[in-house]
Amino acid sequence: PGRAGGLTGRRGRGSEPRRGRAPCVQEGCNVTNREKTEWLGRYRREAARQQMLCREVEALRAEAERVARTLGTRNSPGLRQVRTQLQAACKQLDAQAARCLTLRRQLVWAVSRLDDERQREVLLRRFLQGQTVQQAADEMGVVVRRVEQMQTAALRALDLQRAARGANGARAHPATPSARPGCACAPPQT
């Protein structure tokens, strides 16, 4: 009796299951664990893009050397074109490296604010080092299910708004997963 159709399950939290919702800093706002996972995963995606740009720069350098050897030292249009492409790729790579560094700092700062050391370790292994749940479990000496539980608990405890303010000064980072449009913790629309 009193269990609204059995939806409370073992936990007895109310009539609706939580379904991945985690409390946000602002009262009345919810940022889901999925949104937090997306925010944490940005570093790995940007690091992969940086690796791709590194390979592109290496290929362009090799092409420039090949063209220079073929044409000698004369300043041909083909060599100028390859050098221009190489310079543009190097600029892209520098900008990407700066983005990766910023994201890495934000991620480390956010995770370092968690109280539980094992939760911090799980998030760093998963989102900074890119380990799978199985790899993290093996290296931590626990079962996969325990890593999943620690990751879920860490995501619930993670305060992205506070983390973004702390990592970037007083302003929240615009890429921080704001809640729904019109939410009190959403960054101002410009």
Side-chain angles (χ1 to χ4, degrees):
R3 288 191 167 196
L7 290 175
T8 58
R10 296 180 305 203
R11 297 182 181 154
R13 289 188 182 159
S15 62
E16 293 186 28
R18 286 187 52 96
R19 299 274 189 250
R21 293 254 168 226
C24 181
V25 179
Q26 301 294 326
E27 187 65 32
C29 173
N30 286 322
V31 176
T32 65
N33 285 355
R34 179 175 286 163
E35 290 167 324
K36 290 179 181 186
T37 300
E38 175 70 21
W39 185 84
L40 290 167
R42 291 180 313 155
Y43 171 72
R44 296 298 314 156
R45 288 187 302 278
E46 293 297 324
R49 178 161 164 64
Q50 183 178 353
Q51 290 300 315
M52 181 202 63
L53 288 171
C54 280
R55 288 188 298 273
E56 183 179 324
V57 166
E58 289 171 8
L60 286 170
R61 282 192 178 134
E63 177 67 12
E65 289 174 13
R66 186 190 65 74
V67 169
R69 276 194 312 270
T70 302
L71 300 175
T73 57
R74 55 181 197 230
N75 197 7
S76 72
L79 186 55
R80 280 193 304 270
Q81 180 183 4
V82 171
R83 285 182 179 161
T84 301
Q85 290 173 341
L86 180 59
Q87 288 171 346
C90 286
K91 284 181 183 178
Q92 280 185 317
L93 180 58
D94 289 345
Q96 185 65 26
R99 272 192 300 278
C100 281
L101 182 60
T102 298
L103 290 173
R104 182 183 177 95
R105 284 180 181 153
Q106 289 174 347
L107 187 149
V108 169
W109 199 93
V111 172
S112 72
R113 298 306 177 258
L114 291 173
D115 293 331
D116 187 283
E117 181 179 338
R118 296 289 275 181
Q119 290 176 1
R120 286 191 304 265
E121 183 179 359
V122 166
L123 291 186
L124 290 175
R125 285 181 180 279
R126 297 279 290 125
F127 296 102
L128 190 66
Q129 298 173 12
Q131 291 183 349
T132 64
V133 175
Q134 182 67 55
Q135 291 168 329
D138 290 345
E139 290 197 23
M140 294 176 72
V142 296
V143 296
V144 168
R145 181 69 186 130
R146 184 66 188 130
V147 170
E148 292 168 345
Q149 290 169 345
M150 286 188 284
Q151 180 174 324
T152 299
L155 289 171
R156 283 191 181 129
L158 196 62
D159 182 346
L160 294 184
Q161 295 294 320
R162 182 174 153 228
R165 283 191 304 271
N168 294 313
R171 265 185 62 170
H173 190 276
T176 301
S178 61
R180 309 328 167 250
C183 169
C185 74
Q189 300 293 321
T190 54

